[in-house]
Amino acid sequence: MLSWPTLVPFAAAALLGGALMGTPGTALLAVCALALIGAVIAAVHHAEVVAHRVGEPFGTLVLAVAITVIEVALIVSMMLAGGEDKATLPRDTIFSAVMIISTGVVGLCLLVGGLHHHEQTFQLDGANSALAALVALAGLSLVLPTFTTSAGVGLYTVSQLAFVAVSSLVLWGAFVFVQTVRHRDYFLPPTNASNEDVHAAPPTVAQAWASFGLLLVSLVSVVGLAKQLSPSIEAGVAAMGAPKAVIGIAIALLVLLPETWAAVRAARADRLQTSMNLALGSALASIGLTIPAVVLASVLLNLPLVLGLAPKDLVLLMLTFLVSTITLATGRTNVMQGAVHLVLFAAFLFLSLVP
């Protein structure tokens, strides 16, 4: 018999197809919102099936890259549709993704894990490698454009954009090589007797491929439904009188739902290493893959692209990296670290609404 993880992705895709055929009404949008939540849960289920088959850290990499690739497609499509009005959308979405992951997702994982298990551990070498790459990528992509002088404020020249795009791909590729080949042991969780996956038989190759296909269907549905809901989100933002940057936050929150759910579930099951692989790997992919894609679209299609952050956002980003360096310095975590990260996440959300 067909199970809900099989049915939900196709139901969400069917609703997406119906929404694309015309202007969806309020009732259809409400159903689409429910379908989006169902597709998120299904995506996490199928990602875990694939992860159990291929093992760590490949399993977390599959989910991170799949979501980021579709996120890139969403951003580029909105850039093409919006023109100059969407010049800051890639910056806002990338910055929001980094802040949501580094403060919200990491904080929630540390808090949930600390409440259930008091203390948890992860591989410090792997976290340090990821954090160093993330700081470098964010600095080159979001910080430096605010201070360069060859173009306008927050802008890069074409040659500078090309340099940053290539640098982003090189750093992300180097990290993936270290994570999956050269130093794979840095990202492997210790054997945990309470983890059911340690003893459970892995799925067959056919089951893993089926789950991979359903994972892609789920993710396409998530992003497509999020795009269908984005006009309502933009209208709500305008009605609140909130800054346009809130749209980027809303998009990032919707797209990151599958990873957030999977990371928190792993932390609750005392698999914090999996949570850290998901969180930091997703943050790196959000910059390392998105920046080259939006740069290519900007140069080839002559689309405006503003990357430099405002002073307030620069302070928040630097504070987040400083706190992350301190709280993740020992490889042992408790609820205090989670509380610190979540307070920073709350500050990010509040100051986005009240700049």
Side-chain angles (χ1 to χ4, degrees):
M1 294 180 63
L2 294 177
S3 60
W4 71 264
T6 302
L7 294 174
V8 167
F10 290 114
L15 281 170
L16 175 60
L20 290 173
M21 294 181 66
T23 303
T26 304
L28 182 56
L29 287 175
V31 176
C32 286
L34 293 175
L36 186 148
I37 296 172
V40 166
I41 299 172
V44 172
H45 170 83
H46 293 297
E48 289 179 342
V49 172
V50 174
H52 189 31
R53 177 67 197 183
V54 301
E56 288 294 334
F58 296 99
T60 53
L61 186 64
V62 168
L63 182 59
V65 173
I67 289 179
T68 304
V69 168
I70 299 174
E71 176 189 0
V72 168
L74 176 61
I75 292 174
V76 172
S77 66
M78 294 184 73
M79 286 176 65
L80 291 171
E84 293 186 3
D85 290 339
K86 302 297 183 183
T88 60
L89 178 66
R91 177 200 67 186
D92 294 338
T93 305
I94 294 169
F95 171 64
S96 298
V98 172
M99 291 298 296
I100 290 167
I101 292 169
S102 301
T103 59
V105 177
V106 170
L108 194 57
C109 289
L110 299 185
L111 184 67
V112 170
L115 288 174
H116 283 85
H117 306 285
H118 298 287
E119 271 194 353
Q120 292 181 297
T121 60
F122 61 90
Q123 293 271 28
L124 189 58
D125 292 330
N128 282 340
S129 300
L131 194 58
L134 182 59
V135 171
L137 282 171
L140 289 171
S141 304
L142 303 175
V143 178
L144 276 178
T146 305
F147 301 99
T148 52
T149 57
S150 297
V153 177
L155 298 173
Y156 268 151
T157 63
V158 173
S159 60
Q160 289 171 333
L161 284 173
F163 175 81
V164 170
V166 172
S167 299
S168 298
L169 278 177
V170 168
L171 276 176
W172 183 77
F175 173 76
V176 171
F177 174 71
V178 167
Q179 184 185 34
T180 58
V181 180
R182 181 57 58 89
H183 296 290
R184 185 185 173 193
D185 54 306
Y186 289 176
F187 303 89
L188 294 178
T191 301
N192 181 1
S194 66
N195 179 10
E196 295 179 358
D197 287 344
V198 172
H199 308 288
T204 64
V205 174
Q207 289 173 327
W209 276 111
S211 283
F212 180 71
L214 289 168
L215 170 64
L216 294 182
V217 173
S218 299
L219 293 176
V220 170
S221 300
V222 167
V223 178
L225 291 171
K227 186 175 180 181
Q228 289 299 309
L229 294 170
S230 62
S232 299
I233 295 172
E234 293 184 19
V237 169
M240 293 169 55
K244 289 185 177 180
V246 175
I247 298 172
I249 297 175
I251 292 172
L253 283 170
L254 288 171
V255 172
L256 290 172
L257 270 176
E259 288 165 315
T260 303
W261 187 295
V264 173
R265 284 187 60 184
R268 193 179 188 280
D270 203 16
R271 293 184 284 120
L272 186 64
Q273 183 64 52
T274 299
S275 300
M276 299 302 292
N277 289 348
L278 268 171
L280 296 177
S282 298
L284 284 169
S286 291
I287 301 181
L289 295 178
T290 305
I291 288 295
V294 298
V295 165
L296 186 64
S298 174
V299 172
L300 293 181
L301 303 174
N302 196 27
L303 297 172
L305 180 61
V306 178
L307 290 177
L309 292 171
K312 168 183 68 67
D313 295 332
L314 286 174
V315 173
L316 280 172
L317 185 65
M318 294 301 104
L319 182 60
T320 296
F321 287 150
L322 175 62
V323 169
S324 297
T325 302
I326 296 171
T327 59
L328 304 180
T330 63
R332 302 183 68 87
T333 65
N334 55 51
V335 293
M336 185 64 206
Q337 285 103 317
V340 172
H341 281 258
L342 287 175
V343 167
L344 284 178
F345 179 58
F348 161 67
L349 293 179
F350 175 73
L351 293 176
S352 298
L353 291 171
V354 188

